[in-house]
Amino acid sequence: MSGVVAAFAALVSVAVLGYVIGATGLLRASDELTLSRLAFFVATPALMFATVSKADLAALLSPVLLTEVIAVAFTQLVFVLVARLVFRRDTRQATIGALASSYVNAGNLGVPISLYVLGDAALIAPILLFQLLVLTPVSFLILDKGARSPRAALLLPFRNPLTVASLLGLALAVSGVSLPVAVMRPIDLLGGAAVPVALLAYGLSLYGSRRQAPAPEEDGVGKDIALAVALKAVAQPTVAYLTARFALHLDGLHLLAATLFAALPTAQNIYVYAVTYDTARRLARGTILVTTGLSIPIMTAIGAVLG
């Protein structure tokens, strides 16, 4: 347990440093976008490629993914039913809310947790691919309402560098091919920057969120945010734990991984989707902000209990 808590302490300290950097003016809150893009487009793809290409295939095909799929299905179903039948939200609003209550930040926060707390960045790869290859295209088909062809929606995830890097790494792992050291060395070097850069951006974003003005959007969205936060921060990790522990009889590392990954906060790209489709922007941003703030103490507590 002490090792898990120590790993979380290291991650939190770097995130706090990012917050302090923003508060002291050393970097502007807007610089969070630059750091996030560096992590998303360069460093984290390098880390995922290097990790997955050398990973044990058993780790990539672990039952942790099944627990996440079940937890995601539960939270999305609950949100959609309440949003449609009780809150009377339209299809697009319910879709964004369902994503906000279940789509985890597997890249910028999931990779550091997987690497430094669980000791293997490959553990997060199946969840990352599930979200990008299944949840995202299906959601876009619903949000587009026929404006985008099914083929275009299905191909869209392959424009994501994390998807491409993970799939390329998976191809090498399956084939058993190893790249020369001279090729892997710069990739490993770039990948080493992924975790600190992502955590600094995370801390900087927490400082910047304090200064954001409320989005001019529909009234009464507070109850939608409260429902999405409750599902994301409480229900999803609870369902994942119960599924892993009692249905799949997991323990040790896999039980901890299933619960921690489900407790990750809502991914920032849900707000991008909301802006793109001009719907539920305040719901998306509010859920991201609150779940991000809650995630570290919740995951630290999970690590202390299950680690």
Side-chain angles (χ1 to χ4, degrees):
M1 181 176 73
S2 60
V4 172
V5 175
F8 267 112
L11 297 180
V12 170
S13 64
V14 179
V16 169
L17 177 60
Y19 185 95
V20 172
I21 287 173
T24 57
L26 188 60
L27 289 178
R28 299 166 297 178
S30 58
D31 291 331
E32 179 263 331
L33 176 61
T34 301
L35 291 177
S36 294
R37 289 176 66 86
L38 176 62
F40 182 80
F41 287 101
V42 180
T44 304
L47 174 63
M48 294 307 298
F49 174 79
T51 301
V52 175
S53 66
K54 295 176 283 189
D56 181 356
L57 291 180
L60 297 176
L61 301 175
S62 74
V64 171
L65 176 59
L66 180 57
T67 68
E68 300 307 310
V69 172
I70 293 172
V72 165
F74 174 83
T75 54
Q76 289 193 349
L77 178 62
V78 171
F79 188 92
V80 169
L81 288 176
V82 175
R84 295 288 284 167
L85 301 179
V86 180
F87 299 162
R88 300 296 179 182
R89 302 306 185 202
D90 61 32
T91 301
R92 284 187 171 187
Q93 291 170 326
T95 300
I96 292 296
L99 290 172
S101 66
S102 62
Y103 197 111
V104 303
N105 189 336
N108 283 359
L109 196 55
V111 171
I113 295 295
S114 186
L115 179 60
Y116 281 94
V117 177
L118 302 173
D120 187 358
L123 287 171
I124 194 68
I127 295 169
L128 190 152
L129 291 174
F130 167 70
Q131 292 189 156
L132 293 173
L133 298 178
V134 178
L135 285 185
T136 297
V138 171
S139 300
F140 284 171
L141 287 174
I142 296 172
L143 291 167
D144 278 323
K145 293 183 177 179
R148 191 194 304 264
S149 69
R151 180 176 179 273
L154 291 173
L155 290 177
L156 192 60
F158 295 97
R159 297 171 58 185
N160 186 304
L162 295 178
T163 307
V164 175
S166 297
L167 289 176
L168 289 175
L170 180 60
L172 288 182
V174 171
S175 67
V177 175
S178 298
L179 295 180
V181 174
V183 175
M184 290 301 301
R185 188 166 291 161
I187 296 176
D188 290 333
L189 187 62
L190 285 172
V195 172
V197 170
L199 289 173
L200 287 173
Y202 176 76
L204 198 57
S205 72
L206 289 179
Y207 175 75
S209 66
R210 296 170 60 254
R211 307 172 61 184
Q212 290 178 339
E217 206 176 273
E218 69 274 5
D219 294 328
V221 75
K223 56 190 178 184
D224 300 67
I225 296 175
L227 174 61
V229 169
L231 289 171
K232 181 70 214 65
V234 180
Q236 189 171 355
T238 300
V239 171
Y241 170 80
L242 294 175
T243 301
R245 178 70 178 83
F246 298 106
L248 300 179
H249 306 291
L250 302 182
D251 57 13
L253 179 65
H254 285 157
L255 178 61
L256 178 59
T259 311
L260 281 178
F261 292 157
L264 287 166
T266 304
Q268 289 94 333
N269 49 329
I270 302 305
Y271 181 69
V272 176
Y273 300 163
V275 171
T276 301
Y277 291 98
D278 193 24
T279 185
R281 287 175 294 164
R282 188 177 164 198
L283 166 60
R285 190 170 74 177
T287 304
I288 292 167
L289 174 61
V290 178
T291 58
T292 297
L294 292 174
S295 62
I296 290 297
I298 289 175
M299 288 189 293
T300 302
I302 291 171
V305 172
L306 300 181

